[in-house]
Amino acid sequence: MFDVLDQTPGKLGFIDAHGKLVNELPDGVSIDWLQQSYQHMVRIRQLDKKAVALQRTGQMHTYPSCLGQEAIGTGIGMAMQDADVLVPYYRDQATQVLRGVSMQQILQVWGGDERGNLFEGAAVKDFPNCVPIGTQMSHAAGIAAAMKSRGVKQAVVANCGDGATSRGDVYEALNLVGVWQLPMVAVINNNQWAISVPRGLQTATATLAEKALAVGIDSIQVDGNDVVAVFQAVRNALTRARSGKGGTLIEAVSYRLSDHTTADDATRYREASEVSQAWEYDPVKRLQTYLHELGQWTPAQEQSLLAEVKQSIDKAVADYLNTAPQAADDFMAYVFAAMPQPLQAQRERLLARLERDNAAGGNCDDS
C-alpha cells in the first residue's frame, strides 16, 4: 500500500501531507513564492482536466495526465534558470509552462500537431516531449557533455518515471554522467506505477535514489508532493552542476492519481482503496491548507484564481481547435537539414497525389 509518509530516513520535506511545516523553509521561499507555486499547480491541474475532457470527446489524441504530480514539475520549473536546458518526458507539463510553453502548445502536441514543439522564451532550446521510455536520458547526457566541453555554466534537467529506471538507456546515461562528471540533474518521478507494473516489481532496491551509488553520483530522495522539497533539491543540484561538481539523481516520491494515459484503465490493476489513500497526500491541497492556515490564502482568492484559470484555458482550447492544419508534407520537411533527393521525390509524389485527391473530391485512386 502506498504511503508517502513512510519513506527512508532523511527524505527531504518541508510541508507535510496535513499542510504543516516540518522543517524551516529554505532561503528564497517566501509567501509570494508559495502563492505563485500554488497558483501554478492549480492552473496545471485545471489544464490537465480539460485535456482529458478533450480526448474523451474526440478532440485530442492519447494524453498522459500529470494529476497528483504537479508539485514535481512546478518545483523543477521554479528552480531552473533560463540558460538551463530541459529534456522532458511526457508528464512535464508544469515545468514546460513555467519555461514559456503555452497551454495551447501543450494541447497541440497531444493533438498530433508537432508545431506545438516550436517553443519560445526559456524553452526555445529545450527538447520536445519524449514518449519512448528512457531514451531522453541519453540525449540529456549528450547535451551535458557538450556544455562541459564548451566550459559554459549551464546544466541539464532530464526527467523520467520510475519505470524508466529499469531501462538500460537510463543506466548508461547516468553512468556517463558519473564517469565524465557531467552537469546533469536527473529527476525520477516515482509515481509508484509504470503503467500496470507497481514499484515493488520494478526493482529490489529500497529506493530509486540509491541507484546513483552504482554510477558514482550524488542522490537524494524527496517528498514529491511537497513543491518546496522538490524546488530545494533541484536548486541545490543545479548549483552543484553549474559549478563543475557533477550530476545528481533526485527521486521524487509521488503517486499517479490518474490512469497511465487516456488509453489506460488503471482500475484493472490497482485497488480503489490505494488511490483513495493517495489522495490524502494531494500536493495541491496540502499547499492550499498551509497558506490558508497562515492567513495567506482565502476562499475569495481561490474563486478569483479559478475564474482567471478557466478564462485562460478556454482561450487556449479555442486557439487550439481553431488552428489551421499542418501542411501535409510537414512530416518530411524536418527530417534532414537539407532534404535528400529520394525524400524529395517522395514528397513530390505525395503532393501530386493530394492534388489529385482534392480534384476528385477526396476519392483518390490508390493505384
Side-chain angles (χ1 to χ4, degrees):
M1 181 65 73
F2 170 78
D3 189 346
V4 76
L5 298 182
D6 183 21
Q7 295 296 327
T8 56
K11 173 179 62 69
L12 183 65
F14 295 90
I15 302 173
D16 71 12
H18 309 293
K20 303 296 184 183
L21 196 65
V22 294
N23 281 304
E24 184 179 351
L25 293 176
D27 291 342
V29 176
S30 62
I31 293 299
D32 182 63
W33 188 98
L34 291 168
Q35 289 176 336
Q36 287 183 42
S37 296
Y38 174 72
Q39 291 167 24
H40 184 67
M41 287 195 288
V42 169
R43 182 173 293 105
I44 293 302
R45 178 160 293 187
Q46 294 302 313
L47 174 64
D48 195 75
K49 181 179 179 180
K50 176 60 72 173
V52 172
L54 288 169
Q55 190 280 330
R56 297 305 192 206
T57 54
Q59 299 176 89
M60 202 166 71
H61 301 314
T62 301
Y63 173 75
S65 172
C66 60
L67 181 65
Q69 297 146 93
E70 298 90 351
I72 296 176
T74 301
I76 293 170
M78 296 291 278
M80 293 182 70
Q81 295 180 358
D82 287 357
D84 298 325
V85 174
L86 175 69
V87 182
Y89 84 130
Y90 46 79
R91 248 181 265 280
D92 284 326
Q93 298 93 320
T95 308
Q96 290 178 311
V97 171
L98 279 173
R99 290 185 59 77
V101 178
S102 71
M103 291 188 290
Q104 177 191 345
Q105 287 177 300
I106 298 289
L107 299 175
Q108 277 185 278
V109 167
W110 298 110
D113 188 340
E114 291 291 343
R115 291 173 297 179
N117 289 315
L118 298 176
F119 304 144
E120 298 179 352
V124 71
K125 58 193 169 305
D126 293 347
F127 273 41
N129 295 305
C130 186
V131 175
I133 305 300
T135 56
Q136 73 276 13
M137 305 301 277
S138 298
H139 304 157
I143 299 167
M147 288 177 174
K148 182 168 184 177
S149 70
R150 295 173 181 174
V152 296
K153 292 188 179 300
Q154 296 172 269
V156 181
V157 176
N159 305 326
C160 67
D162 48 291
T165 63
S166 297
R167 298 279 302 179
D169 309 72
V170 175
Y171 175 78
E172 292 163 9
L174 293 177
N175 189 58
L176 193 64
V177 171
V179 171
W180 289 356
Q181 287 290 284
L182 300 180
M184 175 172 150
V185 177
V187 181
I188 301 170
N189 178 354
N190 178 7
N191 63 24
Q192 312 303 318
W193 288 93
I195 308 184
S196 60
V197 181
R199 155 74 176 81
L201 295 180
Q202 281 290 331
T203 179
T205 59
T207 71
L208 299 180
E210 68 190 65
K211 289 179 177 285
L213 293 172
V215 296
I217 63 175
D218 281 6
S219 67
I220 185 171
Q221 185 189 65
V222 305
D223 183 346
N225 289 330
D226 178 356
V227 67
V228 180
V230 177
F231 165 76
Q232 179 70 350
V234 175
R235 179 172 63 170
N236 286 346
L238 284 170
T239 299
R240 291 186 68 257
R242 296 188 201 104
S243 61
K245 296 180 180 178
T248 304
L249 176 65
I250 299 171
E251 176 191 358
V253 181
S254 68
Y255 192 88
R256 195 191 79 213
L257 293 171
S258 63
D259 297 327
H260 177 70
T261 70
T262 51
D264 174 45
D265 178 7
T267 62
R268 296 176 299 169
Y269 53 80
R270 66 182 185 186
E271 299 294 329
S273 59
E274 177 179 314
V275 181
S276 179
Q277 182 191 18
W279 271 105
E280 297 177 13
Y281 309 117
D282 178 2
V284 178
K285 181 64 176 177
R286 77 166 60 181
L287 185 52
Q288 181 195 58
T289 299
Y290 177 67
L291 287 169
H292 177 73
E293 292 188 357
L294 287 178
Q296 298 295 333
W297 195 255
T298 66
Q301 287 175 295
E302 183 74 11
Q303 291 306 310
S304 177
L305 171 63
L306 290 174
E308 180 272 319
V309 167
K310 181 181 185 303
Q311 184 177 24
S312 61
I313 290 176
D314 285 348
K315 183 180 185 307
V317 170
D319 291 343
Y320 157 66
L321 294 175
N322 293 325
T323 299
Q326 289 178 266
D329 61 334
D330 256 12
F331 75 101
M332 294 180 169
Y334 305 106
V335 179
F336 299 95
M339 189 178 294
Q341 195 282 325
L343 190 59
Q344 178 65 33
Q346 293 179 44
R347 174 179 177 274
E348 291 171 359
R349 288 197 297 271
L350 171 66
L351 294 176
R353 176 176 171 175
L354 290 172
E355 186 175 355
R356 292 197 309 272
D357 186 34
N358 290 332
N363 295 311
C364 180
D365 182 358
D366 286 340
S367 62

